[in-house]
Amino acid sequence: MSDLVLTSTEAITQGSQSFATAAKLMPPGIRDDTVMLYAWCRHADDVIDGQALGSRPEAVNDPQARLDGLRVDTLAALQGDGPVTPPFAALRAVARRHDFPQAWPMDLIEGFAMDVEARDYRTLDDVLEYSYHVAGIVGVMMARVMGVRDDPVLDRACDLGLAFQLTNIARDVIDDARIGRCYLPGDWLDQAGARIDGPVPSPELYTVILRLLDEAEPYYASARVGLADLPPRCAWSIAAALRIYRAIGLRIRKSGPQAYRQRISTSKAAKIGLLGVGGWDVARSRLPGAGVSRQGLWTRPHHV
């Protein structure tokens, strides 16, 4: 294992147990590139949020300077051959090996710019646009690493990223509010008369959270269709990740507002169980008539 892969693997192990668990199912070469891409994405997110490998975000004093530096370092990695730090060296290696359009990594940076600008998300479409930039494009890049080049299949990969992010938003409502952020649609909050305050959601806020989880469901369903176009072990890994992430939303539904009194996550035992279920999802995705239309779903920009 190269030093770059080893450093990236340490980052994923500390930053996301769910992703680390699912990645173990991938073939070695694809797994290495997936882990390296994740390491850069995680590093970029942590730079903007003042985090350390997935810890709770903290307000930072110089967000614009951090964003500017991230843009400069990312372009240096994509366009040049000079020395860069490990996360950017990982991005360079993966982007060149899999022929990423430069716009893809820069789309992720644009998502962080939305955070720095404290963008106001008034509608569901606003939230989905943000979700594309911070998660949907990651799904697209991951699918390319797995050998996908067809736009319709990349759209399905983007759908999984959107579903993940909508779930993340639902889970992190209280934590985000502590640093002055809100990703729930403003018009939904207004309609429900909901405010974000206190350690647990009010009944009004909880209805908005459930509404967002409902919106994630067709994106999860669309993403399952894309499993059929991935190499089998990759498909199994992604199916497991889908199940593990979706379980977060199911826990919110089952436990109600009190779920927010502690970190909402999936236990290690549950993760192991969901790995097996993911295998059945892959098999079902390959059956005749397993397709689900994307009609009506938000669609990513297609870069030339």
Side-chain angles (χ1 to χ4, degrees), residues 92-119:
R92 174 186 286 165
V94 174
R96 292 183 181 180
R97 188 151 41 241
H98 299 282
D99 192 27
F100 284 7
Q102 180 176 292
W104 285 358
M106 299 312 295
D107 271 354
L108 182 66
I109 305 299
E110 179 58 29
F112 301 139
M114 292 178 178
D115 280 335
V116 170
E117 296 163 5
R119 188 79 63 90

PDB file of all heavy atoms in Angstrom, residues 92-119:
ATOM      1  N   ARG A  92      -5.177  14.729  -7.306  1.00  0.00           N
ATOM      2  CA  ARG A  92      -4.474  14.785  -8.593  1.00  0.00           C
ATOM      3  C   ARG A  92      -4.372  13.399  -9.213  1.00  0.00           C
ATOM      4  O   ARG A  92      -4.671  13.204 -10.405  1.00  0.00           O
ATOM      5  CB  ARG A  92      -3.084  15.373  -8.385  1.00  0.00           C
ATOM      6  CG  ARG A  92      -2.214  15.347  -9.644  1.00  0.00           C
ATOM      7  CD  ARG A  92      -0.806  15.820  -9.328  1.00  0.00           C
ATOM      8  NE  ARG A  92      -0.769  17.269  -9.127  1.00  0.00           N
ATOM      9  CZ  ARG A  92       0.243  17.920  -8.563  1.00  0.00           C
ATOM     10  NH1 ARG A  92       1.299  17.249  -8.106  1.00  0.00           N
ATOM     11  NH2 ARG A  92       0.208  19.230  -8.443  1.00  0.00           N
ATOM     12  N   ALA A  93      -3.959  12.423  -8.421  1.00  0.00           N
ATOM     13  CA  ALA A  93      -3.772  11.070  -8.940  1.00  0.00           C
ATOM     14  C   ALA A  93      -5.083  10.485  -9.449  1.00  0.00           C
ATOM     15  O   ALA A  93      -5.146   9.918 -10.551  1.00  0.00           O
ATOM     16  CB  ALA A  93      -3.176  10.177  -7.845  1.00  0.00           C
ATOM     17  N   VAL A  94      -6.144  10.632  -8.673  1.00  0.00           N
ATOM     18  CA  VAL A  94      -7.428  10.039  -9.046  1.00  0.00           C
ATOM     19  C   VAL A  94      -8.041  10.773 -10.237  1.00  0.00           C
ATOM     20  O   VAL A  94      -8.550  10.148 -11.177  1.00  0.00           O
ATOM     21  CB  VAL A  94      -8.391  10.065  -7.835  1.00  0.00           C
ATOM     22  CG1 VAL A  94      -9.784   9.598  -8.246  1.00  0.00           C
ATOM     23  CG2 VAL A  94      -7.852   9.199  -6.712  1.00  0.00           C
ATOM     24  N   ALA A  95      -8.008  12.105 -10.220  1.00  0.00           N
ATOM     25  CA  ALA A  95      -8.612  12.884 -11.303  1.00  0.00           C
ATOM     26  C   ALA A  95      -7.948  12.588 -12.636  1.00  0.00           C
ATOM     27  O   ALA A  95      -8.627  12.497 -13.670  1.00  0.00           O
ATOM     28  CB  ALA A  95      -8.522  14.375 -10.978  1.00  0.00           C
ATOM     29  N   ARG A  96      -6.626  12.425 -12.631  1.00  0.00           N
ATOM     30  CA  ARG A  96      -5.923  12.147 -13.891  1.00  0.00           C
ATOM     31  C   ARG A  96      -6.116  10.706 -14.338  1.00  0.00           C
ATOM     32  O   ARG A  96      -6.249  10.438 -15.535  1.00  0.00           O
ATOM     33  CB  ARG A  96      -4.441  12.489 -13.723  1.00  0.00           C
ATOM     34  CG  ARG A  96      -4.229  13.994 -13.556  1.00  0.00           C
ATOM     35  CD  ARG A  96      -2.778  14.401 -13.449  1.00  0.00           C
ATOM     36  NE  ARG A  96      -2.687  15.857 -13.266  1.00  0.00           N
ATOM     37  CZ  ARG A  96      -1.560  16.528 -13.145  1.00  0.00           C
ATOM     38  NH1 ARG A  96      -0.389  15.874 -13.166  1.00  0.00           N
ATOM     39  NH2 ARG A  96      -1.563  17.840 -13.000  1.00  0.00           N
ATOM     40  N   ARG A  97      -6.150   9.808 -13.388  1.00  0.00           N
ATOM     41  CA  ARG A  97      -6.315   8.399 -13.757  1.00  0.00           C
ATOM     42  C   ARG A  97      -7.683   8.145 -14.367  1.00  0.00           C
ATOM     43  O   ARG A  97      -7.844   7.310 -15.255  1.00  0.00           O
ATOM     44  CB  ARG A  97      -6.105   7.530 -12.515  1.00  0.00           C
ATOM     45  CG  ARG A  97      -6.066   6.051 -12.793  1.00  0.00           C
ATOM     46  CD  ARG A  97      -5.213   5.249 -11.830  1.00  0.00           C
ATOM     47  NE  ARG A  97      -5.334   5.642 -10.440  1.00  0.00           N
ATOM     48  CZ  ARG A  97      -4.305   6.090  -9.714  1.00  0.00           C
ATOM     49  NH1 ARG A  97      -3.093   6.217 -10.258  1.00  0.00           N
ATOM     50  NH2 ARG A  97      -4.472   6.407  -8.441  1.00  0.00           N
ATOM     51  N   HIS A  98      -8.688   8.898 -13.919  1.00  0.00           N
ATOM     52  CA  HIS A  98     -10.066   8.646 -14.367  1.00  0.00           C
ATOM     53  C   HIS A  98     -10.637   9.777 -15.211  1.00  0.00           C
ATOM     54  O   HIS A  98     -11.839   9.803 -15.482  1.00  0.00           O
ATOM     55  CB  HIS A  98     -10.949   8.380 -13.151  1.00  0.00           C
ATOM     56  CG  HIS A  98     -10.513   7.172 -12.375  1.00  0.00           C
ATOM     57  ND1 HIS A  98     -10.782   5.886 -12.778  1.00  0.00           N
ATOM     58  CD2 HIS A  98      -9.774   7.066 -11.230  1.00  0.00           C
ATOM     59  CE1 HIS A  98     -10.252   5.036 -11.913  1.00  0.00           C
ATOM     60  NE2 HIS A  98      -9.637   5.721 -10.967  1.00  0.00           N
ATOM     61  N   ASP A  99      -9.788  10.700 -15.618  1.00  0.00           N
ATOM     62  CA  ASP A  99     -10.164  11.742 -16.571  1.00  0.00           C
ATOM     63  C   ASP A  99     -11.364  12.555 -16.095  1.00  0.00           C
ATOM     64  O   ASP A  99     -12.356  12.708 -16.810  1.00  0.00           O
ATOM     65  CB  ASP A  99     -10.451  11.094 -17.935  1.00  0.00           C
ATOM     66  CG  ASP A  99     -10.561  12.127 -19.063  1.00  0.00           C
ATOM     67  OD1 ASP A  99      -9.939  13.195 -18.932  1.00  0.00           O
ATOM     68  OD2 ASP A  99     -11.251  11.842 -20.054  1.00  0.00           O
ATOM     69  N   PHE A 100     -11.257  13.107 -14.892  1.00  0.00           N
ATOM     70  CA  PHE A 100     -12.326  13.980 -14.386  1.00  0.00           C
ATOM     71  C   PHE A 100     -12.332  15.294 -15.163  1.00  0.00           C
ATOM     72  O   PHE A 100     -11.270  15.887 -15.376  1.00  0.00           O
ATOM     73  CB  PHE A 100     -12.065  14.364 -12.922  1.00  0.00           C
ATOM     74  CG  PHE A 100     -12.353  13.303 -11.912  1.00  0.00           C
ATOM     75  CD1 PHE A 100     -12.698  12.015 -12.275  1.00  0.00           C
ATOM     76  CD2 PHE A 100     -12.272  13.610 -10.558  1.00  0.00           C
ATOM     77  CE1 PHE A 100     -12.942  11.045 -11.322  1.00  0.00           C
ATOM     78  CE2 PHE A 100     -12.526  12.653  -9.598  1.00  0.00           C
ATOM     79  CZ  PHE A 100     -12.857  11.365  -9.980  1.00  0.00           C
ATOM     80  N   PRO A 101     -13.488  15.809 -15.539  1.00  0.00           N
ATOM     81  CA  PRO A 101     -13.546  17.214 -15.937  1.00  0.00           C
ATOM     82  C   PRO A 101     -13.161  18.084 -14.741  1.00  0.00           C
ATOM     83  O   PRO A 101     -13.536  17.780 -13.603  1.00  0.00           O
ATOM     84  CB  PRO A 101     -15.023  17.429 -16.303  1.00  0.00           C
ATOM     85  CG  PRO A 101     -15.599  16.060 -16.502  1.00  0.00           C
ATOM     86  CD  PRO A 101     -14.811  15.141 -15.615  1.00  0.00           C
ATOM     87  N   GLN A 102     -12.419  19.139 -14.981  1.00  0.00           N
ATOM     88  CA  GLN A 102     -12.020  20.021 -13.879  1.00  0.00           C
ATOM     89  C   GLN A 102     -13.240  20.559 -13.129  1.00  0.00           C
ATOM     90  O   GLN A 102     -13.184  20.812 -11.924  1.00  0.00           O
ATOM     91  CB  GLN A 102     -11.189  21.186 -14.417  1.00  0.00           C
ATOM     92  CG  GLN A 102     -10.728  22.173 -13.354  1.00  0.00           C
ATOM     93  CD  GLN A 102      -9.827  23.247 -13.925  1.00  0.00           C
ATOM     94  OE1 GLN A 102      -8.695  22.994 -14.339  1.00  0.00           O
ATOM     95  NE2 GLN A 102     -10.331  24.479 -13.976  1.00  0.00           N
ATOM     96  N   ALA A 103     -14.343  20.719 -13.864  1.00  0.00           N
ATOM     97  CA  ALA A 103     -15.554  21.276 -13.250  1.00  0.00           C
ATOM     98  C   ALA A 103     -16.069  20.424 -12.097  1.00  0.00           C
ATOM     99  O   ALA A 103     -16.723  20.946 -11.187  1.00  0.00           O
ATOM    100  CB  ALA A 103     -16.641  21.441 -14.307  1.00  0.00           C
ATOM    101  N   TRP A 104     -15.800  19.129 -12.099  1.00  0.00           N
ATOM    102  CA  TRP A 104     -16.348  18.282 -11.035  1.00  0.00           C
ATOM    103  C   TRP A 104     -15.768  18.626  -9.663  1.00  0.00           C
ATOM    104  O   TRP A 104     -16.535  18.943  -8.743  1.00  0.00           O
ATOM    105  CB  TRP A 104     -16.136  16.808 -11.370  1.00  0.00           C
ATOM    106  CG  TRP A 104     -17.052  16.282 -12.436  1.00  0.00           C
ATOM    107  CD1 TRP A 104     -18.047  16.957 -13.087  1.00  0.00           C
ATOM    108  CD2 TRP A 104     -17.049  14.968 -12.981  1.00  0.00           C
ATOM    109  NE1 TRP A 104     -18.658  16.138 -13.997  1.00  0.00           N
ATOM    110  CE2 TRP A 104     -18.072  14.908 -13.960  1.00  0.00           C
ATOM    111  CE3 TRP A 104     -16.282  13.828 -12.751  1.00  0.00           C
ATOM    112  CZ2 TRP A 104     -18.342  13.748 -14.686  1.00  0.00           C
ATOM    113  CZ3 TRP A 104     -16.545  12.670 -13.467  1.00  0.00           C
ATOM    114  CH2 TRP A 104     -17.564  12.631 -14.422  1.00  0.00           C
ATOM    115  N   PRO A 105     -14.454  18.581  -9.472  1.00  0.00           N
ATOM    116  CA  PRO A 105     -13.941  18.982  -8.158  1.00  0.00           C
ATOM    117  C   PRO A 105     -14.297  20.431  -7.815  1.00  0.00           C
ATOM    118  O   PRO A 105     -14.575  20.751  -6.649  1.00  0.00           O
ATOM    119  CB  PRO A 105     -12.425  18.798  -8.291  1.00  0.00           C
ATOM    120  CG  PRO A 105     -12.251  17.802  -9.389  1.00  0.00           C
ATOM    121  CD  PRO A 105     -13.368  18.067 -10.345  1.00  0.00           C
ATOM    122  N   MET A 106     -14.315  21.299  -8.827  1.00  0.00           N
ATOM    123  CA  MET A 106     -14.631  22.701  -8.545  1.00  0.00           C
ATOM    124  C   MET A 106     -16.103  22.880  -8.163  1.00  0.00           C
ATOM    125  O   MET A 106     -16.447  23.816  -7.439  1.00  0.00           O
ATOM    126  CB  MET A 106     -14.265  23.576  -9.738  1.00  0.00           C
ATOM    127  CG  MET A 106     -12.772  23.550 -10.094  1.00  0.00           C
ATOM    128  SD  MET A 106     -11.658  23.788  -8.688  1.00  0.00           S
ATOM    129  CE  MET A 106     -12.057  25.476  -8.222  1.00  0.00           C
ATOM    130  N   ASP A 107     -16.970  21.990  -8.631  1.00  0.00           N
ATOM    131  CA  ASP A 107     -18.370  22.033  -8.199  1.00  0.00           C
ATOM    132  C   ASP A 107     -18.471  21.784  -6.692  1.00  0.00           C
ATOM    133  O   ASP A 107     -19.310  22.382  -6.011  1.00  0.00           O
ATOM    134  CB  ASP A 107     -19.204  20.992  -8.950  1.00  0.00           C
ATOM    135  CG  ASP A 107     -19.777  21.533 -10.256  1.00  0.00           C
ATOM    136  OD1 ASP A 107     -19.620  22.736 -10.517  1.00  0.00           O
ATOM    137  OD2 ASP A 107     -20.390  20.746 -11.012  1.00  0.00           O
ATOM    138  N   LEU A 108     -17.637  20.886  -6.179  1.00  0.00           N
ATOM    139  CA  LEU A 108     -17.635  20.660  -4.739  1.00  0.00           C
ATOM    140  C   LEU A 108     -17.187  21.918  -3.999  1.00  0.00           C
ATOM    141  O   LEU A 108     -17.803  22.310  -2.993  1.00  0.00           O
ATOM    142  CB  LEU A 108     -16.712  19.492  -4.385  1.00  0.00           C
ATOM    143  CG  LEU A 108     -16.666  19.112  -2.903  1.00  0.00           C
ATOM    144  CD1 LEU A 108     -18.007  18.570  -2.433  1.00  0.00           C
ATOM    145  CD2 LEU A 108     -15.558  18.098  -2.630  1.00  0.00           C
ATOM    146  N   ILE A 109     -16.162  22.574  -4.512  1.00  0.00           N
ATOM    147  CA  ILE A 109     -15.688  23.818  -3.887  1.00  0.00           C
ATOM    148  C   ILE A 109     -16.804  24.861  -3.878  1.00  0.00           C
ATOM    149  O   ILE A 109     -16.960  25.617  -2.920  1.00  0.00           O
ATOM    150  CB  ILE A 109     -14.446  24.364  -4.617  1.00  0.00           C
ATOM    151  CG1 ILE A 109     -13.350  23.309  -4.694  1.00  0.00           C
ATOM    152  CG2 ILE A 109     -13.937  25.630  -3.938  1.00  0.00           C
ATOM    153  CD1 ILE A 109     -12.830  22.833  -3.374  1.00  0.00           C
ATOM    154  N   GLU A 110     -17.606  24.895  -4.940  1.00  0.00           N
ATOM    155  CA  GLU A 110     -18.715  25.844  -5.007  1.00  0.00           C
ATOM    156  C   GLU A 110     -19.722  25.581  -3.884  1.00  0.00           C
ATOM    157  O   GLU A 110     -20.344  26.515  -3.354  1.00  0.00           O
ATOM    158  CB  GLU A 110     -19.410  25.756  -6.366  1.00  0.00           C
ATOM    159  CG  GLU A 110     -20.604  26.683  -6.534  1.00  0.00           C
ATOM    160  CD  GLU A 110     -20.276  28.158  -6.329  1.00  0.00           C
ATOM    161  OE1 GLU A 110     -19.121  28.557  -6.584  1.00  0.00           O
ATOM    162  OE2 GLU A 110     -21.177  28.903  -5.902  1.00  0.00           O
ATOM    163  N   GLY A 111     -19.892  24.331  -3.502  1.00  0.00           N
ATOM    164  CA  GLY A 111     -20.761  24.023  -2.373  1.00  0.00           C
ATOM    165  C   GLY A 111     -20.249  24.633  -1.086  1.00  0.00           C
ATOM    166  O   GLY A 111     -21.028  25.164  -0.277  1.00  0.00           O
ATOM    167  N   PHE A 112     -18.926  24.579  -0.899  1.00  0.00           N
ATOM    168  CA  PHE A 112     -18.350  25.204   0.296  1.00  0.00           C
ATOM    169  C   PHE A 112     -18.486  26.722   0.229  1.00  0.00           C
ATOM    170  O   PHE A 112     -18.652  27.384   1.264  1.00  0.00           O
ATOM    171  CB  PHE A 112     -16.882  24.802   0.438  1.00  0.00           C
ATOM    172  CG  PHE A 112     -16.687  23.302   0.542  1.00  0.00           C
ATOM    173  CD1 PHE A 112     -15.644  22.675  -0.123  1.00  0.00           C
ATOM    174  CD2 PHE A 112     -17.548  22.525   1.290  1.00  0.00           C
ATOM    175  CE1 PHE A 112     -15.467  21.309  -0.033  1.00  0.00           C
ATOM    176  CE2 PHE A 112     -17.385  21.153   1.386  1.00  0.00           C
ATOM    177  CZ  PHE A 112     -16.334  20.536   0.725  1.00  0.00           C
ATOM    178  N   ALA A 113     -18.442  27.269  -0.987  1.00  0.00           N
ATOM    179  CA  ALA A 113     -18.656  28.718  -1.137  1.00  0.00           C
ATOM    180  C   ALA A 113     -20.061  29.101  -0.677  1.00  0.00           C
ATOM    181  O   ALA A 113     -20.271  30.169  -0.102  1.00  0.00           O
ATOM    182  CB  ALA A 113     -18.430  29.134  -2.585  1.00  0.00           C
ATOM    183  N   MET A 114     -21.035  28.231  -0.931  1.00  0.00           N
ATOM    184  CA  MET A 114     -22.399  28.506  -0.473  1.00  0.00           C
ATOM    185  C   MET A 114     -22.432  28.621   1.055  1.00  0.00           C
ATOM    186  O   MET A 114     -23.148  29.466   1.611  1.00  0.00           O
ATOM    187  CB  MET A 114     -23.337  27.396  -0.943  1.00  0.00           C
ATOM    188  CG  MET A 114     -23.556  27.344  -2.443  1.00  0.00           C
ATOM    189  SD  MET A 114     -24.648  25.966  -2.891  1.00  0.00           S
ATOM    190  CE  MET A 114     -24.768  26.208  -4.665  1.00  0.00           C
ATOM    191  N   ASP A 115     -21.664  27.778   1.728  1.00  0.00           N
ATOM    192  CA  ASP A 115     -21.597  27.863   3.187  1.00  0.00           C
ATOM    193  C   ASP A 115     -20.929  29.159   3.633  1.00  0.00           C
ATOM    194  O   ASP A 115     -21.389  29.825   4.564  1.00  0.00           O
ATOM    195  CB  ASP A 115     -20.831  26.667   3.751  1.00  0.00           C
ATOM    196  CG  ASP A 115     -21.682  25.409   3.831  1.00  0.00           C
ATOM    197  OD1 ASP A 115     -22.917  25.537   3.920  1.00  0.00           O
ATOM    198  OD2 ASP A 115     -21.110  24.303   3.809  1.00  0.00           O
ATOM    199  N   VAL A 116     -19.841  29.508   2.975  1.00  0.00           N
ATOM    200  CA  VAL A 116     -19.116  30.725   3.344  1.00  0.00           C
ATOM    201  C   VAL A 116     -19.999  31.958   3.136  1.00  0.00           C
ATOM    202  O   VAL A 116     -19.976  32.907   3.925  1.00  0.00           O
ATOM    203  CB  VAL A 116     -17.804  30.843   2.542  1.00  0.00           C
ATOM    204  CG1 VAL A 116     -17.154  32.219   2.728  1.00  0.00           C
ATOM    205  CG2 VAL A 116     -16.829  29.741   2.962  1.00  0.00           C
ATOM    206  N   GLU A 117     -20.800  31.934   2.074  1.00  0.00           N
ATOM    207  CA  GLU A 117     -21.692  33.062   1.777  1.00  0.00           C
ATOM    208  C   GLU A 117     -22.948  33.068   2.641  1.00  0.00           C
ATOM    209  O   GLU A 117     -23.764  34.002   2.560  1.00  0.00           O
ATOM    210  CB  GLU A 117     -22.124  33.005   0.307  1.00  0.00           C
ATOM    211  CG  GLU A 117     -20.975  33.171  -0.682  1.00  0.00           C
ATOM    212  CD  GLU A 117     -21.355  32.717  -2.077  1.00  0.00           C
ATOM    213  OE1 GLU A 117     -22.540  32.366  -2.299  1.00  0.00           O
ATOM    214  OE2 GLU A 117     -20.460  32.683  -2.953  1.00  0.00           O
ATOM    215  N   ALA A 118     -23.115  32.010   3.467  1.00  0.00           N
ATOM    216  CA  ALA A 118     -24.327  31.873   4.291  1.00  0.00           C
ATOM    217  C   ALA A 118     -25.580  31.957   3.426  1.00  0.00           C
ATOM    218  O   ALA A 118     -26.514  32.710   3.691  1.00  0.00           O
ATOM    219  CB  ALA A 118     -24.364  32.917   5.399  1.00  0.00           C
ATOM    220  N   ARG A 119     -25.578  31.179   2.341  1.00  0.00           N
ATOM    221  CA  ARG A 119     -26.696  31.162   1.406  1.00  0.00           C
ATOM    222  C   ARG A 119     -28.014  30.848   2.111  1.00  0.00           C
ATOM    223  O   ARG A 119     -28.054  30.026   3.029  1.00  0.00           O
ATOM    224  CB  ARG A 119     -26.409  30.103   0.322  1.00  0.00           C
ATOM    225  CG  ARG A 119     -27.365  30.071  -0.840  1.00  0.00           C
ATOM    226  CD  ARG A 119     -27.074  31.158  -1.833  1.00  0.00           C
ATOM    227  NE  ARG A 119     -25.770  31.048  -2.455  1.00  0.00           N
ATOM    228  CZ  ARG A 119     -25.505  30.376  -3.578  1.00  0.00           C
ATOM    229  NH1 ARG A 119     -26.474  29.740  -4.193  1.00  0.00           N
ATOM    230  NH2 ARG A 119     -24.288  30.363  -4.090  1.00  0.00           N
TER     231      ARG A 119
END
